[in-house]
């Protein structure tokens, strides 16, 4: 049967099917029976709908099946849509045909189970209303990122996932046996993007990214999706504005397309909409320390990276994401250049989200100083010859260029208001988990 003959549950709530006969299909979300009546709540990918199955309204065999069918059984139904104030959403289906496609076994997930158990059952738990809502928002976020860059003249450009070099420091590399050699899973698309801009000038990408993060935090995954951009000729002050526009665009798309999902998650859409129209401030690292000292009484030594606690306390003073530039050069990756106007700092930035979601974007101008990069890599114990191809990019028509990466799950977690970044990806990978 053609797809359009099956009515999606959310369509019922628009009122176009009232007192009409429809066919719908999905899974049993909740069910209880008493005597000659079964009350079932069905779900499909669009919503949940209450159905009542009364003996006599359908063949006896089908009524018995309805009584027997457990939660998560898959079903195809026919029935009449009725308005009913008592039903969730104000509508219910009076069932006249109940075909069970698969009688489910006893579903392992019931109420009040531990987060670890739910992660073990992730393949089943993604069916929950909460996770479905997050996954729909994630889909909007990913779509928005593609749309944003394509509408602004960027080409999509792909890099290898298996890479011989580090980009963000050797300590978080995942090593992979590569025939008789070894290689690493991508920590970033960036170094290859820096080659790509000489052909395409403005490029972007979104792909799986790997970091062996040994600490357990609510912000770190071992495998996550990073959305990166790189552009020839652009300077720090330009890419920070691109990053702000991108995040605002993502928020607008979610607010426009996911009202229902935000409601399910208890997330205030008007707050997100307000942020999508607000100005995001830009401050320097040094100014951030000053805010921490003056307004939070925190004495952070100049030169230390901002930890979670510092980021969170800083964000007590902002309702929108904030761009922090000019972190201390010493603690930055080898490719981040010195700021000629403030040589202890780098031409780099992080964007920090409100409400304790931390760094959602990281980026910088890229160094064009070969000697400096070589020295910094050597100091980290890197084999310089592995980077010769990258150094070539500074030898053949080098231009100023910049880029940044957005942590897709960090953004999704913030927009959805989840407690843990693990819920922002279908199958999380962390230091303690690589199953299912
Ligand atoms: O700040 P990061 O490490 O920047 C880079 O990798 C640059 N090479 C990007 C670039 O300039 N093209 O990572 C970028 C963002 C962070 O701001 C954070 O949002 C996210 O990626 N991120 C993580 N998200 C989840 N789990 C992790 N372990 C993450 N590490 C970074
Ligand atoms: Mg960073």
């Amino acid at each position: 049967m053609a797809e359009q003959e099956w009515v999606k549950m959310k369509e019922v709530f628009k009122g176009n099917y009232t007192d009409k006969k429809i066919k719908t299909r999905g899974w049993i979300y909740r069910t209880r029976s008493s005597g000659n009546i079964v009350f079932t709540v069905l779900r499909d990918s669009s919503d949940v709908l209450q159905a009542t199955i009364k003996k006599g309204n359908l063949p006896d065999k089908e009524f018995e099946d309805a009584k027997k069918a457990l939660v998560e059984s898959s079903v195809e139904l026919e029935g009449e849509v009725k308005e009913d104030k008592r039903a969730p959403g104000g509508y219910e289906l009076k069932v006249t045909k109940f075909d069970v496609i698969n009688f489910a076994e006893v579903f392992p997930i019931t109420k009040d189970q531990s987060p670890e158990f739910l992660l073990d059952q992730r393949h089943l738990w993604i069916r929950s209303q909460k996770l479905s809502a997050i996954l729909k928002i994630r889909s909007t976020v990913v779509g928005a990122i593609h749309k944003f860059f394509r509408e602004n003249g960027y080409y999509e450009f792909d890099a290898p996932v298996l890479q011989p070099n580090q980009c963000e420091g050797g300590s978080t590399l995942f090593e992979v046996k590569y025939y008789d050699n070894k290689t690493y899973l991508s920590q970033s698309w960036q170094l290859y993007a820096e080659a790509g801009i000489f052909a395409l000038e403005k490029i972007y990408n979104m792909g799986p990214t790997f970091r062996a993060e040994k600490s357990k935090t609510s912000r770190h995954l071992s495998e996550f999706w990073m959305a990166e951009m790189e552009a020839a000729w652009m300077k720090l002050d330009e890419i920070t504005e691109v990053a702000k526009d991108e995040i605002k665009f993502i928020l607008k798309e979610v607010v426009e397309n996911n009202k229902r999902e935000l409601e399910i998650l208890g997330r205030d859409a008007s707050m997100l909409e307000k942020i999508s129209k607000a100005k995001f401030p830009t401050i320097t690292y040094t100014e951030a320390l000053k805010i921490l000292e003056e307004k939070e009484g925190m004495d952070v030594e100049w030169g230390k990276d901002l930890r979670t606690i510092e980021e969170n306390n800083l964000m007590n003073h902002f309702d929108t994401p904030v761009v922090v530039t000019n972190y201390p050069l010493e603690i930055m990756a080898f490719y981040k250049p010195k700021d000629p106007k403030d040589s202890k700092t780098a031409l780099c930035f992080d964007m920090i989200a409100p409400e304790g979601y931390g760094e959602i974007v990281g980026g910088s101008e890229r160094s064009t100083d070969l000697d400096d990069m070589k020295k910094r890599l050597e100091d980290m114990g890197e084999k310089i010859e592995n980077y010769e191809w990258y150094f070539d990019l500074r030898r053949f028509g080098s231009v100023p260029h910049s880029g940044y990466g957005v942590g897709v799950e960090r953004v999704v977690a913030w927009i959805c208001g989840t407690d843990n970044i693990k819920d922002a990806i279908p199958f999380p990978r962390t230091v303690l988990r690589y199953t299912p």
Side-chain angles (χ1 to χ4, degrees):
M1 195 158 72
E3 167 140 43
Q4 52 272 27
E5 292 181 41
W6 298 96
V7 172
K8 282 277 170 238
M9 288 168 198
K10 77 167 181 203
E11 298 300 326
V12 169
F13 299 105
K14 292 182 181 161
N16 300 332
Y17 290 98
T18 313
D19 300 325
K20 291 198 179 120
K21 220 167 167 131
I22 63 161
K23 290 173 196 282
T24 188
R25 57 187 173 184
W27 293 265
I28 296 179
Y29 186 61
R30 280 196 297 269
T31 185
R32 69 189 166 85
S33 63
S34 101
N36 288 338
I37 189 156
V38 183
F39 297 99
T40 294
V41 178
L42 300 164
R43 62 167 188 88
D44 65 8
S45 58
S46 73
D47 215 323
V48 297
L49 173 65
Q50 180 170 303
T52 49
I53 303 115
K54 238 192 212 144
K55 194 170 170 136
N57 286 352
L58 68 172
D60 280 354
K61 157 95 173 48
E62 291 178 20
F63 177 76
E64 292 308 319
D65 284 351
K67 233 172 145 169
K68 216 165 62 189
L70 302 177
V71 163
E72 288 305 318
S73 297
S74 45
V75 294
E76 291 180 352
L77 305 184
E78 269 179 50
E80 202 177 334
V81 175
K82 289 285 171 197
E83 249 189 294
D84 184 341
K85 295 271 170 303
R86 292 161 305 174
Y91 290 90
E92 72 161 8
L93 189 70
K94 295 234 174 293
V95 174
T96 52
K97 191 165 176 19
F98 193 100
D99 286 335
V100 178
I101 305 303
N102 172 260
F103 281 100
E105 296 179 21
V106 176
F107 200 57
I109 301 174
T110 54
K111 263 196 178 155
D112 301 324
Q113 276 160 329
S114 74
E116 276 314 303
F117 177 83
L118 294 176
L119 283 165
D120 288 337
Q121 302 293 328
R122 192 69 166 189
H123 51 297
L124 301 175
W125 180 233
I126 51 174
R127 304 176 184 194
S128 65
Q129 260 204 315
K130 177 183 163 189
L131 279 193
S132 303
I134 295 172
L135 294 177
K136 285 180 197 170
I137 290 174
R138 181 185 167 101
S139 174
T140 302
V141 169
V142 167
I145 291 169
H146 283 290
K147 196 164 156 194
F148 175 81
F149 284 113
R150 284 164 181 267
E151 283 180 359
N152 285 290
Y154 290 76
Y155 295 100
E156 189 168 354
F157 176 83
D158 298 316
V161 169
L162 295 170
Q163 302 182 1
N165 305 324
Q166 60 116 324
C167 179
E168 298 298 324
S171 69
T172 62
L173 282 173
F174 274 107
E175 201 175 299
V176 177
K177 190 173 172 307
Y178 191 77
Y179 306 105
D180 293 331
N181 271 306
K182 68 172 183 190
T183 181
Y184 307 101
L185 295 179
S186 173
Q187 270 183 327
S188 173
W189 160 91
Q190 179 193 324
L191 300 190
Y192 294 89
E194 289 187 61
I197 53 149
F198 291 93
L200 306 176
E201 295 194 36
K202 286 166 65 174
I203 55 179
Y204 83 99
N205 184 272
M206 185 161 19
T209 305
F210 303 86
R211 304 263 170 108
E213 304 276 5
K214 273 127 208 149
S215 56
K216 291 180 286 173
T217 78
S218 59
R219 293 178 180 181
H220 288 91
L221 293 164
S222 304
E223 176 177 336
F224 63 100
W225 285 63
M226 207 199 291
E228 298 180 79
M229 65 76 80
E230 192 77 25
W233 313 108
M234 278 197 199
K235 297 288 194 74
L236 181 66
D237 57 347
E238 290 172 271
I239 55 160
T240 53
E241 293 310 309
V242 178
K244 290 175 188 178
D245 288 345
E246 180 186 352
I247 298 299
K248 289 180 199 182
F249 184 76
I250 293 170
L251 287 173
K252 279 198 190 89
E253 290 280 306
V254 170
V255 168
E256 217 173 284
N257 294 293
N258 298 102
K259 289 228 158 57
R260 172 88 181 110
E261 287 71 36
L262 292 170
E263 188 185 302
I264 288 170
L265 297 169
R267 199 70 172 139
D268 181 0
S270 67
M271 179 267 293
L272 297 174
E273 188 177 4
K274 219 162 112 194
I275 296 177
S276 77
K277 294 175 179 159
K279 194 169 160 359
F280 297 0
T282 299
I283 61 174
T284 63
Y285 164 87
T286 305
E287 285 164 346
L289 293 199
K290 212 157 159 199
I291 294 173
L292 288 172
E293 193 192 329
E294 285 172 4
K295 297 193 176 158
E296 293 285 337
M298 282 182 100
D299 195 13
V300 184
E301 194 188 327
W302 198 99
K304 289 249 151 55
D305 208 354
L306 298 182
R307 297 167 304 169
T308 301
I309 172 128
E310 280 107 26
E311 284 179 355
N312 291 353
N313 285 354
L314 176 68
M315 293 313 290
N316 286 338
H317 306 281
F318 300 95
D319 297 327
T320 69
V322 174
V323 165
V324 181
T325 67
N326 289 84
Y327 283 78
L329 189 66
E330 282 275 298
I331 54 172
M332 290 291 110
F334 75 95
Y335 58 78
K336 295 190 186 176
K338 201 182 281 177
D339 185 342
K341 291 204 215 86
D342 181 5
S343 63
K344 278 183 9 218
T345 70
L347 288 168
C348 67
F349 80 100
D350 280 359
M351 189 191 292
I352 305 173
E355 298 177 81
Y357 287 93
E359 179 195 332
I360 50 175
V361 188
S364 74
E365 281 187 31
R366 314 310 191 187
S367 175
T368 49
D369 181 343
L370 269 184
D371 292 337
D372 182 60
M373 283 197 284
K374 281 183 188 170
K375 184 172 174 308
R376 284 159 79 179
L377 282 167
E378 258 160 10
D379 289 349
M380 286 188 289
E382 289 294 308
K383 280 206 193 93
I384 294 301
E385 56 273 25
N386 287 352
Y387 293 83
E388 281 304 323
W389 71 270
Y390 180 73
F391 298 149
D392 272 351
L393 308 175
R394 309 299 191 265
R395 294 181 182 123
F396 299 97
S398 183
V399 290
H401 62 287
S402 305
Y404 65 78
V406 174
V408 172
E409 289 76 15
R410 297 252 180 112
V411 171
V412 171
W414 166 49
I415 291 176
C416 294
T418 64
D419 295 337
N420 196 300
I421 194 167
K422 284 187 273 202
D423 278 344
I425 189 164
F427 293 96
R429 299 289 174 251
T430 64
V431 63
L432 294 175
R433 175 171 296 277
Y434 53 93
T435 59

